[in-house]
Amino acid sequence: MVVISGPSGVGKSSFVKELLGAGLDLEYSVSATTRARRPHEADGRDYFFLGRDEFSRRIEAGDFVEWAEVHGELYGTLRSETERRLMSGKNVLLDIDVQGGREVRKAYPDGVFIFVLPPSLSSLEERLRGRGTDPDERIRLRLDNALREINLGSEYDYAVVNDDLPSALRRVASIIVAETSRVSRRLPMKST
Ligand code: ADP
Ligand code: 5GP
């Protein structure tokens, strides 16, 4: 499991898009959410967009590895997106919040946990406004939550500042290459 977290607007979706085409043998786990679809998003590619009732039904059915309320909406990682891929030896990429990151760490302690930081809070606000997808009150809510999320970043294994996108991407790719090359992941462990 490769988990990417960080405050809203820091650049996680931009990372995911680029990382999937970077020859790292990563497959993206598409989450489910109750939030409204943004104009450029496609159902089943960016998220599975579900109504609240359907989301609750899927919680009851045990369909989620983890789920959480984030910025007033529900988001969850579907077992159907992760388990089959992990069983067949694929690296699975998750873009989830810090609450979800905690839960995934419990279920998959050998995952790789990467936290993405903005160069500053003002640049975070600029990116959220520049993206043009959220009304003002949603931007305020996301910025209010940003500091709390950044404080929980200390639970992650790696911190990457997304200053310049191509150079931040190179750093994330290096982490993934190094982690997937670990002897413990590549060679059978000797029993002593
Ligand atoms: P997140 O998925 O973390 O909410 P996005 O990937 O949607 O964030 O990025 C938010 C906005 O910031 C987008 O408009 C994106 O193009 C822009 N962005 C991403 N990385 C950078 C960067 N390094 N410098 C400037 N703008 C960036
Ligand atoms: P957005 O609405 O901007 O796409 O995402 C808002 C937040 O929800 C981001 O922090 C994103 O990482 C998080 N998120 C997306 N999918 C999931 C998920 O499946 N589980 C959890 N816990 N958070 C998610």
Side-chain angles (χ1 to χ4, degrees), residues 6 8 12 31 35 38 47 66 68 70-71 75-77 95-97 100 131 142:
S8 183
K12 299 179 298 298
S31 293
R35 89 145 158 72
R38 294 175 184 150
Y47 282 105
E66 62 74 35
V70 190
H71 316 310
Y75 294 82
T77 304
D95 166 354
I96 61 175
D97 90 314
R131 188 168 68 185
R142 283 166 184 252

Side-chain angles (χ1 to χ4, degrees), residues 14-177:
S14 314
F15 269 36
V16 165
K17 206 165 131 226
E18 299 293 329
L19 285 171
L20 292 175
L24 292 167
D25 207 15
L26 285 173
E27 292 197 4
Y28 185 55
S29 163
V30 179
S31 293
T33 184
T34 59
R35 89 145 158 72
R37 189 177 64 78
R38 294 175 184 150
H40 64 280
E41 289 178 331
D43 192 28
R45 183 193 66 192
D46 300 284
Y47 282 105
F48 295 103
F49 294 96
L50 305 180
R52 284 240 169 197
D53 288 349
E54 175 66 1
F55 200 102
S56 302
R57 197 192 61 71
R58 306 223 31 193
I59 294 173
E60 292 299 314
D63 287 354
F64 291 112
V65 176
E66 62 74 35
W67 66 273
E69 184 169 338
V70 190
H71 316 310
E73 298 289 349
L74 303 179
Y75 294 82
T77 304
L78 291 160
R79 290 188 195 287
S80 53
E81 286 290 298
T82 56
E83 284 178 354
R84 182 177 31 87
R85 289 177 174 136
L86 292 172
M87 292 292 281
S88 61
K90 305 271 190 224
N91 300 317
V92 178
L93 181 62
L94 303 182
D95 166 354
I96 61 175
D97 90 314
V98 286
Q99 308 170 75
R102 267 190 184 161
E103 294 305 309
V104 171
R105 169 96 73 183
K106 284 185 207 155
Y108 300 95
D110 65 341
V112 180
F113 294 79
I114 304 171
F115 196 81
V116 187
L117 287 159
S120 66
L121 284 177
S122 57
S123 62
L124 190 64
E125 179 164 2
E126 267 167 38
R127 286 180 197 175
L128 277 172
R129 293 199 187 284
R131 188 168 68 185
T133 53
D134 297 271
D136 201 54
E137 76 269 12
R138 293 228 155 241
I139 290 181
R140 289 255 64 88
L141 177 66
R142 283 166 184 252
L143 287 171
D144 286 346
N145 289 334
L147 273 182
R148 195 175 38 81
E149 289 173 318
I150 289 171
N151 282 331
L152 291 173
S154 55
E155 295 179 6
Y156 281 63
D157 302 320
Y158 297 95
V160 172
V161 178
N162 181 15
D163 35 20
D164 169 61
L165 186 62
S167 90
L169 270 167
R170 279 198 295 278
R171 276 172 273 146
V172 173
S174 308
I175 292 165
I176 295 171
V177 169

